[in-house]
Amino acid sequence: MPLKIETRLGRIRIERRIGYSKLYSISMTLFSLALAFLVISMILASLGLDTIQAFLVIFGIFVKPSLLLESVKQSIPICLAALGLSIAFKMNFWNIGAEGQIYMGMIASTGIVLLHEYYGLFHAWAVMPLMLLASFLLGGAWCLIAGALKARLGVNEILPTLMLNYVAILVVEFLVHGPWRDPKGYGFPLSTPFPKYAKLNLVLGEPAYTGLLLSTLGAAAVFFLLEYTRPGFEIKVVGQNPSVARYAGIKVRRTILLGSFLSGGLAGIGGLSIVSGIIGRLRPGASPGYGYTAIIVAALAGLNPWLVMAASIFFGGLLTAGGVLQMSMGIPKAAVQMIQAVIFLMILVGEFVKRYRIVFEKPRASAS
Amino acid sequence: MIEWIESVLALTLQVGTVYLLASLGEIYAERSGILNLGLEGIMIMGAASSFIFTLAYGHLAAITVSIIVGVLMSLILALMAVYMRLNQTVAGLALTMLGLGLSGFLASPEVRKVILLALNPSLPEKFLAIQEAPKLPEIPVPTLSEIPVIGCFFRQNALVYFSYAAAPLMWFILFKTRPGLSLRSVGENPAAADAMGVSVFKVRCVATMVSGGFAGLAGAYLFLGFQPFWQEGLTAGKGFIALSLVILSTWNPLRALLGAYLFGGVEVIQYRLQLFGLGALSPYLLAMLPYLVAIAALVAVSIGSVRKRIGAPASLGIPYSREE
């Protein structure tokens, strides 16, 4: 008989759950969100901040129409980037570089606008479609660097994608401090403001609605790709088991290249939604970490495209709340980043509780 | 000329020490099979806590607290990656985000004031709002520090001297002692190590804590010993560069010593080129250099023939469970 160490308190055993219902899964996710807010309230309360007031501000965001609209606007880049990440993560490709890909998307969109503004290269009506195309291509190419390194040389993608974030941010700094600085901008590191036709105002002249259309289309495209197409199926198989994929005749390398390109491309369009939907020009620090928030959103939504949309509106609201908290309560803006991280940690803990259960075994009655 | 070389060398040492301290601990974690991607977040928490505690109680307390904070943060990772068997990449990333968010929050002027007053109510008013702290003093070694050129090795602060001793010591423990052998075996083949009576969970937990302690110390050094001026996101990816350094050093503390100074040198060259006017056009392009070199290093060690010789810990990133 194998030796078992039993303590007086009994033994704790961790067992894998064999299958669980969808309802259980959803309720565990909600439970982990509740747990996150409990932890956050403990942090805020321990510093003597008014926790209840802070939570009223955060959840009040979703009640007031103007703030809700702002949240939706903030959610667009998060949503598009998280949709891209869903593809990459399904492929088991750990793209941590959405932030950099977003910045590359911003650069591409701004580049098109400047080509039009400074050189008049194309008609005004062609600007928006070209911006979409360019941001998709450049964002995709930025992720493809890591994808190609993985496919060709077997370099793990985590660190290259991360490093390229810092590089992309520096490229933006270089551009707005140098060649792309607005000549009429009093020397500030900003690009020329975007003209009307380069802004996201197709639906009712409102960036939030137009962005919502964009992210709905994105979600539908990702859903269709993953559920109904051959490349999508191959992406999933490569993610689950690369050697099975190889035996099944799937070209693993080509799939990695495609998946990483699509993933970065969607984040690139997210970048477009920032410069032409939220800010209206290129400036350093244009993204307050949308690309990192997107990772949390993808994890919270379990890589489901439709849930990604819902989760990103929640996080868009959180970002909006950050500004309100700072103005009305003097809580520093970094609080939002902290809240996001705590939510992320609790989602992971929830993931554990979903997959395993902890069994407390009573010590057996001893013979003495 | 000699003065110029000396100043470049001294700066290289100072920057390199950040990378060295961070990667020494990480080598232990990865050798045991745990990828601590939270390095960046732990480092910045170390920097933030050393900032606050230096103002309140002075250097020694600050360094001690930042090590403790690092160990506590790494315990979160140990709990999630070792015991809950969650994906280490995601767990480490969450830890990095926690560190970045929490440090920005705690060290922001508003919150910092509350903490400082709670720690030390008699603190003079002027310390409550400043963004900088006193730097760690340099302790020149008598006679050795007067040697030309290499004298700068002996005109550093206490943490740099500690890193000189730590690298060979960590190498010795890892490769020449029984606990080191257990640690490596857990990272290579946890099932076999378990069968030999090594507690896989305990070893991985301790190794993760070592990496957390060193990362906290690296953060404290970065702030107190190199750049004692607080700003959000102070580490600027140095933790991730240290992670690539670990791979470049092939999980060997002595090679990490060389690699750290190499990366330190790259960063210093970037500063120097800016001074020379070469970078007058775009300091931003030069600032990319460390990240690009890190990527190049990752590519270099991944090229087939090199890869066969170095051998990453076979179970790196794979959670262990007795049942599966």
Side-chain angles (χ1 to χ4, degrees):
Chain A
M1 196 186 149
L3 186 73
K4 272 187 189 170
I5 302 159
E6 289 181 352
T7 63
R8 211 150 50 90
L9 293 168
R11 233 169 56 111
I12 298 173
R13 197 153 49 96
I14 297 170
E15 270 184 3
R16 191 180 269 279
R17 267 179 214 280
I18 309 180
Y20 45 83
S21 70
K22 209 157 201 168
L23 185 69
Y24 177 76
S25 168
I26 293 169
S27 55
M28 277 327 297
T29 304
L30 292 178
F31 172 71
S32 49
L33 280 180
L35 206 61
F37 279 99
L38 184 72
V39 172
I40 293 156
S41 63
M42 272 159 39
I43 297 176
L44 293 181
S46 68
L47 291 166
L49 293 164
D50 190 345
T51 313
I52 295 171
Q53 180 65 31
F55 280 0
L56 281 178
V57 168
I58 292 175
F59 290 103
I61 295 289
F62 300 102
V63 182
K64 205 171 167 205
S66 66
L67 289 175
L68 183 61
L69 208 62
E70 177 63 24
S71 311
V72 170
K73 211 158 80 178
Q74 297 280 338
S75 78
I76 307 302
I78 303 173
C79 177
L80 286 164
L83 285 170
L85 292 181
S86 307
I87 300 176
F89 293 170
K90 274 259 157 80
M91 199 171 67
N92 219 356
F93 182 88
W94 292 103
N95 175 10
I96 321 290
E99 183 77 356
Q101 291 140 25
I102 283 177
Y103 272 101
M104 288 328 263
M106 294 197 252
I107 290 172
S109 328
T110 312
I112 296 289
V113 172
L114 294 184
L115 279 180
H116 174 79
E117 286 283 285
Y118 291 171
Y119 303 104
L121 274 188
F122 15 75
H123 281 290
W125 58 262
V127 168
M128 197 35 126
L130 280 174
M131 282 168 78
L132 268 170
L133 183 69
S135 58
F136 182 77
L137 289 180
L138 199 59
W142 204 245
C143 188
L144 194 62
I145 298 174
L149 286 179
K150 179 173 183 152
R152 290 285 140 202
L153 298 168
V155 181
N156 185 300
E157 66 280 9
I158 297 170
L159 290 172
T161 48
L162 263 168
M163 298 291 167
L164 288 173
N165 288 344
Y166 294 94
V167 176
I169 289 169
L170 286 166
V171 174
V172 171
E173 295 266 3
F174 163 67
L175 289 173
V176 292
H177 280 97
W180 286 8
R181 176 160 31 198
D182 183 5
K184 293 185 227 88
Y186 305 103
F188 285 109
L190 301 164
S191 80
T192 304
F194 283 17
K196 210 169 156 229
Y197 48 80
K199 288 202 172 153
L200 278 185
N201 45 17
L202 187 71
V203 183
L204 301 174
E206 170 59 56
Y209 299 140
T210 318
L212 212 52
L213 176 73
L214 208 58
S215 55
T216 312
L217 287 176
V222 171
F223 180 73
F224 183 75
L225 171 81
L226 290 176
E227 298 301 320
Y228 296 106
T229 68
R230 190 183 164 89
F233 175 72
E234 291 179 345
I235 283 173
K236 285 195 285 188
V237 178
V238 168
Q240 272 156 14
N241 197 332
S243 43
V244 165
R246 214 164 285 124
Y247 278 121
I250 293 172
K251 294 198 172 74
V252 175
R253 287 177 172 188
R254 212 184 54 187
T255 308
I256 291 176
L257 293 178
L258 176 74
S260 60
F261 181 75
L262 291 177
S263 172
L266 281 165
I269 297 181
L272 167 117
S273 76
I274 298 170
V275 282
S276 66
I278 301 177
I279 303 176
R281 67 196 327 172
L282 184 66
R283 65 167 167 80
S287 160
Y290 291 123
Y292 297 108
T293 306
I295 299 172
I296 309 176
V297 165
L300 178 63
L303 309 186
N304 175 321
W306 304 113
L307 292 179
V308 161
M309 275 188 79
S312 52
I313 291 176
F314 174 70
F315 276 87
L318 212 53
L319 286 181
T320 312
V324 181
L325 282 177
Q326 191 176 31
M327 275 191 288
S328 66
M329 295 180 64
I331 293 180
K333 219 165 182 181
V336 173
Q337 242 185 317
M338 177 192 73
I339 293 173
Q340 286 184 14
V342 172
I343 293 176
F344 194 10
L345 282 172
M346 290 307 144
I347 295 168
L348 293 179
V349 173
E351 206 55 40
F352 164 73
V353 183
K354 252 186 233 175
R355 267 188 270 158
Y356 298 93
R357 63 170 156 221
I358 300 169
V359 184
F360 295 93
E361 288 178 336
K362 286 266 168 63
R364 259 176 253 144
S366 55
S368 67
Chain B
M1 187 64 193
I2 284 185
E3 272 168 34
W4 186 81
I5 293 176
E6 227 173 81
S7 76
V8 167
L9 201 58
L11 207 55
T12 300
L13 277 176
Q14 285 166 11
V15 181
T17 304
V18 180
Y19 296 128
L20 179 59
L21 287 172
S23 55
L24 280 180
E26 180 70 19
I27 286 173
Y28 270 46
E30 293 196 13
R31 279 277 180 184
S32 82
I34 299 291
L35 173 72
N36 184 355
L37 206 61
L39 209 58
E40 173 87 2
I42 300 177
M43 273 170 73
I44 199 157
M45 277 301 284
S49 41
S50 69
F51 171 35
I52 292 172
F53 277 82
T54 304
L55 291 181
Y57 299 126
H59 283 141
L60 195 61
I63 292 168
T64 319
V65 169
S66 49
I67 295 174
I68 294 170
V69 166
V71 170
L72 288 178
M73 296 237 345
S74 66
L75 268 179
I76 300 178
L77 181 77
L79 192 67
M80 295 204 297
V82 179
Y83 294 101
M84 294 189 180
R85 300 165 208 167
L86 290 164
N87 181 308
Q88 295 177 10
T89 308
V90 183
L93 204 60
L95 198 63
T96 286
M97 289 187 191
L98 181 72
L100 291 172
L102 203 58
S103 66
F105 178 70
L106 295 177
S108 68
E110 300 92 336
V111 179
R112 190 172 69 222
K113 202 170 167 184
V114 177
I115 299 177
L116 280 174
L117 280 177
L119 286 174
N120 188 353
S122 62
L123 205 65
E125 184 72 28
K126 64 172 180 159
F127 281 138
L128 293 179
I130 56 174
Q131 288 291 90
E132 47 199 320
K135 205 171 171 175
L136 272 181
E138 282 173 9
I139 309 167
V141 180
T143 61
L144 281 178
S145 62
E146 281 147 34
I147 306 170
V149 187
I150 59 162
C152 63
F153 277 87
F154 305 101
R155 249 178 285 132
Q156 302 292 344
N157 62 45
L159 288 181
V160 179
Y161 294 137
F162 170 77
S163 74
Y164 294 161
L169 190 68
M170 298 279 278
W171 175 84
F172 184 80
I173 295 173
L174 191 60
F175 290 109
K176 303 287 170 195
T177 67
R178 195 155 181 94
L181 181 67
S182 306
L183 185 101
R184 284 182 293 137
S185 68
V186 164
E188 290 295 337
N189 190 338
D194 199 6
M196 295 294 289
V198 178
S199 169
V200 175
F201 297 107
K202 208 192 280 168
V203 168
R204 286 189 165 178
C205 194
V206 170
T208 312
M209 284 159 70
V210 169
S211 80
F214 269 89
L217 187 64
Y221 169 77
L222 174 64
F223 182 78
L224 292 175
F226 184 62
Q227 186 193 340
F229 183 85
W230 174 258
Q231 62 194 92
E232 249 182 76
L234 172 90
T235 45
K238 288 203 167 57
F240 298 128
I241 292 181
L243 278 164
S244 25
L245 171 61
V246 169
I247 300 173
L248 182 69
S249 73
T250 65
W251 297 269
N252 180 330
L254 284 183
R255 289 201 194 122
L257 189 74
L258 294 177
Y261 296 145
L262 175 78
F263 274 102
V266 168
E267 212 165 311
V268 173
I269 285 172
Q270 166 226 322
Y271 299 141
R272 289 292 138 155
L273 286 179
Q274 283 178 25
L275 288 185
F276 269 140
L278 259 171
L281 279 172
S282 58
Y284 304 103
L285 294 185
L286 282 172
M288 294 173 191
L289 210 56
Y291 308 109
L292 294 178
V293 170
I295 295 177
L298 288 173
V299 173
V301 293
S302 300
I303 290 170
S305 57
V306 185
R307 186 177 229 184
K308 271 188 202 115
R309 277 191 295 130
I310 58 169
S315 300
L316 182 58
I318 303 166
Y320 178 65
S321 135
R322 279 185 170 169
E323 290 153 22
E324 286 149 27

